[in-house]
Amino acid sequence: MTTALKGIGASPGIAIARVFSLSSERYIPVRTTVTDTQQEVARFREAVAVARKEIEAIRISAEEKLGAEKAEIFEGHLMLLEDPDLIDAIIEKIGIESVCAEFALYEVSQSFIELLQSMEDELLRGRAVDIEDVSGRVMSRLRGVPHMDLANLTEECVIIARDLTPSDTAQLNLHVVRGFITEVGSRTSHSAIMARSLEIPAIVGAGALVRDIPEHAMVVVDANEGIVLVNPAADELAAYQEKKRKDDVRRSELAKLKDQPSLSADGKRVELAANIGKLEDIQRAIDNGAEGIGLFRTEFLYMGRSSLPTEEEQFTSYKYALEKMNPKPVVIRTLDIGGDKELPYMELPKETNPFLGQRALRLCLDRQDLFRTQLRALLRASTYGNLKIMFPMIAVLEELVEAKKLLEEEQQKLLAEGVAVSEAIEVGMMVEIPAAAVSADLFAPEVDFFSIGTNDLIQYTMAADRMNETVAYLYQPWHPSLLRLIRMVITAAEKEGKWVGMCGEMAGEQAAIPLLLGLGLHEFSMSAGSILSARELIGQLNQAEWAAHAEQALTMRSTQEITQFVEFIRNGVTK
Ligand code: PEP
Ligand code: MG
């Protein structure tokens, strides 16, 4: 019988395939006595050798697919397999206690994991995950069962998991992974954002029922509607195959808009840009007709590795992005670490409220060494294209002034060293904290542009964690408070002749675009996969009319009133 689950459509499209479940539970072996301990040790060594070969192969393919930085994580895994503290302790345990290799491996690795997890040091705590991963692989070899490996999947599948970390998502084999479904998460959790940039259908926050989906069951993921069908009946399957075919046809129709300008029906020009996290995303942005990069989340350059990227490494990445997009603009956001984006190798204190803690620019102003390195890399790369630098998470003017001062200092140092720096770099800030939005008039004279980060602006305005599905009902992009904040930012910028973009997920929402156009937003930056349908929609909208509708929406009292109003007008306009 067909079962249906509902979740949040995080990345559009339809996927039909059998499920592969990424279990987060560890296998617990039974203590078994062995008589020939030497043979057991040999069996263990053999499993380690096979695991090493597997990891080496993954490292090579990750390097080809994702670049050297992302592949470094596997270097660390290989080193663990040679770590005498771990490996000798297991061998000793087999010999002394005459226990099977599985049990010795489990007990020793578990004691390391528990010890590391209890550490204050974030870097050491991060190592626990690596030991879990590597010991799980050796365990699979000992048990003769296939090891779950996202990079190595060979069969077409839809992945189901409690959650996928950004690095899990980065490892997905896109040739076979048709989509994913997670128990937890929201549209703005980073796994959802990555799914959109990889353009694979994804449903997140589908709840605990996800656990009941049997392994290898056939599923339909309709991420356009947020519906999962498990073991669909033949007629349902046929209907979805037809729907998927139509979806594919529509995508090829949209592709015709790739090189068209983004113009409203009454001729107002806006810019549709892409949000990227990795250099690989740039090609996808170009293929989807992006008129620029509106948000380069540089923190992804810092992830999936064991140490901070050097100035040279960063320079190479920024130069690549700028050259590839030139003369189109590239807005590069300085490091935004914290919240749900962790860097295990940085020794950051654990915070009770990480989203309200020392995130992003707050951390950069404190750790000036790493901030200055990034600024230098950006400034050096600036002569290779159309660079705009953007600071995240600004609450007060002093933060902006300080960040600009450090940028200026690094620029002067470079010029004194005889290094060329572009004279045309625009410097802007994200507006993602309500304090910055309501005082946008104070910031406007100090910046070249604003980019509204609604993912955070909504969570901070509504005091509703963007990752927590139990308060998702409060996460309301359409709430009057949000529209008012957006209006304030645009008005303040216009007074100073500055432009305003939006790089939060709201900018790519079909339902939000008409009002944002009406409010006078200049640049919409979104996941590459949303650009063409946004261009199509904007072409059907009359900006002047939507400016009047926006005025009316601003007088309304609730999300419901506003959404119904927009829905009513849109159906009148588009049908
Ligand atoms: C935002 O907050 O809207 C944003 C674009 O930044 P991030 O999602 O990376 O926090
Ligand atoms: Mg943000």
Side-chain angles (χ1 to χ4, degrees):
M1 206 190 75
T2 313
T3 329
L5 305 184
K6 252 200 111 36
I8 302 163
S11 172
I14 295 172
I16 304 173
R18 296 199 176 273
V19 301
F20 176 90
S21 70
L22 189 65
S23 159
S24 49
E25 280 157 34
R26 291 190 79 207
Y27 165 75
I28 305 178
V30 187
R31 182 186 183 112
T32 311
T33 310
V34 291
T35 40
D36 188 344
T37 54
Q38 274 188 1
Q39 193 191 330
E40 198 60 7
V41 168
R43 195 166 76 83
F44 172 66
R45 286 195 192 282
E46 171 67 20
V48 170
V50 177
R52 184 178 299 131
K53 277 197 197 128
E54 287 176 357
I55 299 173
E56 179 57 30
I58 297 171
R59 192 192 62 75
I60 293 168
S61 100
E63 192 165 326
E64 281 165 6
K65 222 166 42 156
L66 304 164
E69 285 169 23
K70 293 250 155 41
E72 261 183 37
I73 187 167
F74 300 109
E75 297 278 2
H77 287 190
L78 285 170
M79 273 155 67
L80 270 177
L81 286 180
E82 277 157 24
D83 186 340
D85 285 344
L86 181 69
I87 301 298
D88 293 357
I90 296 168
I91 292 173
E92 246 170 57
K93 192 169 179 79
I94 298 173
I96 295 171
E97 298 182 27
S98 299
V99 287
C100 65
E102 285 89 339
F103 186 76
L105 169 66
Y106 178 79
E107 289 266 301
V108 174
S109 56
Q110 193 59 23
S111 64
F112 272 88
I113 290 167
E114 279 165 21
L115 180 72
L116 289 167
Q117 278 171 342
S118 67
M119 299 270 183
E120 276 288 299
D121 183 337
E122 187 101 14
L123 180 70
L124 291 174
R125 279 207 307 275
R127 297 255 303 169
V129 182
D130 293 332
I131 295 193
E132 207 169 313
D133 196 334
V134 171
S135 62
R137 182 177 293 281
V138 178
M139 186 68 85
S140 302
R141 287 289 126 253
L142 285 169
R143 296 172 61 211
V145 298
H147 183 70
M148 272 174 333
D149 214 326
L150 292 183
N152 263 8
L153 292 173
T154 52
E155 304 269 309
E156 268 197 5
C157 63
V158 165
I159 293 191
I160 57 175
R162 186 178 143 67
D163 196 10
L164 288 173
T165 63
S167 54
D168 280 335
T169 323
Q171 278 180 51
L172 296 178
N173 177 354
L174 296 180
H175 298 300
V176 294
V177 175
R178 294 284 164 258
F180 68 74
I181 309 165
T182 65
E183 259 181 77
V184 297
S186 68
R187 258 193 76 75
T188 49
S189 53
H190 283 90
S191 55
I193 292 173
M194 297 261 297
R196 281 193 288 283
S197 71
L198 295 171
E199 293 177 49
I200 51 173
I203 291 188
V204 298
L209 287 175
V210 168
R211 283 182 231 159
D212 298 337
I213 302 178
E215 185 69 32
H216 303 306
M218 178 59 91
V219 288
V220 169
V221 179
D222 182 352
N224 301 333
E225 304 292 337
I227 294 171
V228 181
L229 295 186
V230 184
N231 287 327
D235 57 337
E236 284 173 318
L237 191 60
Y240 268 100
Q241 270 154 349
E242 177 56 14
K243 212 169 163 188
K244 178 166 162 43
R245 195 190 59 75
K246 286 199 179 132
D247 204 62
D248 293 344
V249 170
R250 175 161 160 70
R251 278 166 200 269
S252 53
E253 278 297 309
L254 281 176
K256 295 182 187 148
L257 298 176
K258 182 174 163 277
D259 299 315
Q260 302 293 315
S262 308
L263 284 177
S264 69
D266 55 337
K268 161 100 178 166
R269 177 95 195 233
V270 293
E271 188 181 307
L272 295 184
N275 292 349
I276 63 164
K278 307 178 275 134
L279 295 179
E280 290 82 359
D281 298 338
I282 298 177
Q283 191 55 47
R284 227 171 261 126
I286 294 171
D287 294 343
N288 280 284
E291 292 162 287
I293 300 298
L295 169 64
F296 181 167
R297 290 184 162 94
T298 58
E299 49 279 8
F300 287 97
L301 299 178
Y302 292 66
M303 289 179 179
R305 46 186 295 144
S306 49
S307 59
L308 290 167
T310 61
E311 179 185 321
E312 206 53 36
E313 284 172 300
Q314 292 190 59
F315 164 73
T316 310
S317 299
Y318 305 147
K319 172 172 176 273
Y320 175 88
L322 288 161
E323 282 181 333
K324 191 132 177 119
M325 291 305 293
N326 202 23
K328 293 177 178 152
V330 181
V331 179
I332 304 189
R333 176 175 77 181
T334 59
L335 182 63
D336 180 5
I337 215 66
D340 66 332
K341 291 175 281 193
E342 292 179 6
L343 282 189
Y345 59 83
M346 273 187 72
E347 296 181 18
L348 301 175
K350 195 110 196 107
E351 296 178 312
T352 326
N353 251 322
F355 272 113
L356 302 182
Q358 205 188 37
R359 262 188 85 174
L361 191 73
R362 300 169 180 189
L363 176 73
C364 287
L365 293 180
D366 186 45
R367 291 283 309 268
Q368 288 194 7
D369 48 340
L370 73 103
F371 191 40
R372 284 180 190 273
T373 303
Q374 181 170 40
L375 295 178
R376 280 176 71 87
L378 284 167
L379 291 164
R380 282 175 54 203
S382 66
T383 53
Y384 294 91
N386 184 354
L387 171 67
K388 300 179 195 302
I389 297 177
M390 174 160 78
F391 300 121
M393 283 292 289
I394 290 190
V396 295
L397 192 58
E398 291 82 343
E399 289 168 321
L400 174 66
V401 170
E402 177 70 6
K404 281 177 61 182
K405 185 180 126 238
L406 297 180
L407 182 66
E408 175 63 25
E409 281 174 15
E410 289 313 313
Q411 173 155 350
Q412 290 312 323
K413 277 191 223 161
L414 284 169
L415 293 175
E417 288 164 29
V419 179
V421 175
S422 164
E423 285 175 5
I425 307 171
E426 286 191 8
V427 178
M429 63 179 263
M430 292 196 66
V431 180
E432 49 189 343
I433 298 180
V438 294
S439 50
D441 58 322
L442 305 179
F443 290 94
E446 298 293 328
V447 291
D448 294 312
F449 65 92
F450 289 125
S451 184
I452 306 176
T454 47
N455 304 343
D456 280 315
L457 186 60
I458 300 168
Q459 77 164 347
Y460 296 135
T461 303
M462 308 303 286
D465 184 344
R466 65 194 257 191
M467 311 280 291
N468 183 343
E469 68 271 22
T470 56
V471 291
Y473 73 99
L474 278 171
Y475 195 88
Q476 300 178 11
W478 297 93
H479 191 263
S481 55
L482 262 300
L483 292 192
R484 288 168 193 209
L485 291 175
I486 295 168
R487 148 58 67 92
M488 283 173 129
V489 178
I490 295 176
T491 308
E494 277 174 352
K495 275 204 184 117
E496 292 289 328
K498 310 292 167 70
W499 62 270
V500 181
M502 179 180 285
C503 57
E505 294 303 304
M506 188 176 176
E509 304 276 351
Q510 288 272 307
I513 288 171
L515 273 191
L516 295 176
L517 182 74
L519 286 168
L521 193 73
H522 304 104
E523 180 236 36
F524 298 65
S525 192
M526 58 194 75
S527 307
S530 307
I531 292 177
L532 292 173
S533 45
R535 184 165 296 148
E536 179 190 54
L537 173 61
I538 286 170
Q540 297 163 355
L541 302 170
N542 182 306
Q543 200 271 340
E545 281 174 18
W546 276 96
H549 299 323
E551 282 309 316
Q552 211 176 328
L554 279 159
T555 65
M556 295 179 176
R557 291 177 306 171
S558 66
T559 294
Q560 201 194 5
E561 260 185 71
I562 295 172
T563 43
Q564 280 174 355
F565 170 69
V566 171
E567 182 68 24
F568 175 74
I569 299 173
R570 275 196 65 193
N571 288 336
V573 168
T574 53
K575 280 194 177 160

